[in-house]
Amino acid sequence: MKKWIIPWAGALLLCPSWLWACTGNCGDQWAVLTPRGMIASHEKTLILTALGLMLLVVVPVIVMTFLFAWKYRASNPRADYAPDWDHSTLIEVVVWTIPTLIVAVLGYLVWTSSHTLSPYRSIVSKQPPLEVQVVAMDWKWLFIYPEWHIATVNQLVIPTGVPVHFSLTSDAVMSSFFIPQLGGQIYAMAGMKTHLHLIADQPGVFQGYNTQFSGQGFSGMMFETVATSREAFLEWVHQVKTGGLVLDRITFTALEKPSINEPPRLYSLALPDLFDNILSQDTTLRTMTMMSPSPAPMTAIED
């Protein structure tokens, strides 16, 4: 067996696994290609469309490379020999026109999708959006539900079919918020507020990440995203409110301390302006003495 056949045979054997990776249950490694939300589905379509357009050039070039090497090999007496040939108008038209058209189509797709899939663009839906305030900390994620007066650490629970409006900031260094199966990626920076709109089309548990290196605990700065029915979401909200843990000034001061691989925690919120205080870099929460009283938690109106 010729040596060059071995790597190509191995590549052909791997092709079924490549196809499965793009169409089946790919797991975290292929999360971008297994979307569970409208935004992520559009992003997958854009990725595969761009890949297909680029393969219009790549595949023919690879095929012709081997065909030309075979046809014009030294042992082939039937190959044309044209030592004085130096120009072909047809070849010039092909090698310039096709890439130009592909670049033009890609440019159009990038332009339109950049506006259509903008993280700041609201998702049109009959359901009102769920407001979630996100705070990147060392090295954990704090999620605040201002409408329900609850907060969670390293666990995000959302109802399916309901748009979610994220407001993001950081209480530490810059971090990057990303849930691959729901789409979108946006940075969270101290003293600044960014926005992201996502929606989960079906229930499930999806992994969320910090994709911006942020220090020692960066690798463990992950969170669990649980998409569930609206009824289950309301029941979960009630359980969090009556769970016993309260996020007050003392608890928040302890939470601010850097920690690695923090387990999920659920709180009823006793600091209604917590996100705004973090955003404005208000030092009141950090300098308040242990004897200072905490404001009473507000009661949310449940459906």
Side-chain angles (χ1 to χ4, degrees), residues 3-229:
K3 293 182 178 180
W4 63 270
I5 296 179
I6 298 176
W8 281 99
L12 291 175
L13 290 175
L14 289 176
C15 281
S17 64
W18 293 346
L19 295 174
W20 171 85
C22 292
T23 59
N25 183 15
C26 305
D28 290 341
Q29 296 88 344
W30 297 90
V32 174
L33 298 179
T34 56
R36 296 295 181 266
M38 182 188 71
I39 302 299
S41 297
H42 285 303
E43 291 176 345
K44 175 186 176 181
T45 301
L46 179 62
I47 291 172
L48 296 181
T49 301
L51 177 63
L53 287 172
M54 290 183 286
L55 287 178
L56 291 177
V57 171
V58 174
V59 172
V61 168
I62 294 176
V63 172
M64 287 189 294
T65 299
F66 288 97
L67 288 178
F68 289 175
W70 175 257
K71 180 177 180 179
Y72 295 104
R73 68 191 187 277
S75 60
N76 184 13
R78 292 178 296 178
D80 296 333
Y81 178 66
D84 297 327
W85 179 88
D86 62 358
H87 179 75
S88 171
T89 301
L90 177 61
I91 292 177
E92 291 286 346
V93 171
V94 171
V95 299
W96 284 104
T97 302
I98 294 179
T100 300
L101 292 175
I102 292 175
V103 170
V105 174
L106 282 174
Y108 172 78
L109 289 176
V110 170
W111 175 265
T112 55
S113 61
S114 295
H115 291 81
T116 304
L117 302 177
S118 170
Y120 280 72
R121 184 167 183 167
S122 301
I123 297 175
V124 178
S125 173
K126 296 180 180 179
Q127 299 289 339
L130 171 68
E131 297 291 332
V132 179
Q133 297 168 338
V134 183
V135 181
M137 309 180 76
D138 284 335
W139 284 276
K140 49 193 167 283
W141 293 95
L142 173 64
F143 300 100
I144 302 171
Y145 296 74
E147 299 172 67
W148 304 101
H149 307 287
I150 61 174
T152 64
V153 171
N154 284 348
Q155 186 181 67
L156 173 66
V157 179
I158 58 176
T160 57
V162 177
V164 183
H165 172 220
F166 295 96
S167 300
L168 303 99
T169 191
S170 175
D171 194 38
V173 298
M174 181 171 66
S175 300
S176 178
F177 180 87
F178 187 31
I179 309 174
Q181 288 185 276
L182 297 185
Q185 179 271 331
I186 198 75
Y187 285 97
M189 295 165 280
M192 299 180 65
K193 180 167 68 172
T194 50
H195 300 272
L196 178 64
H197 293 83
L198 297 177
I199 186 172
D201 294 333
Q202 49 189 287
V205 180
F206 319 121
Q207 194 70 40
Y209 303 90
N210 171 23
T211 58
Q212 170 69 37
F213 180 72
S214 58
Q216 181 182 4
F218 157 75
S219 60
M221 195 173 172
M222 297 181 291
F223 61 92
E224 189 179 68
T225 303
V226 181
T228 185
S229 65

Side-chain angles (χ1 to χ4, degrees), residues 247-264:
L247 184 57
D248 53 18
R249 295 189 183 99
I250 298 175
T251 307
F252 179 76
T253 300
L255 190 63
E256 274 196 312
K257 297 178 180 179
S259 59
I260 298 176
N261 296 324
E262 191 74 23

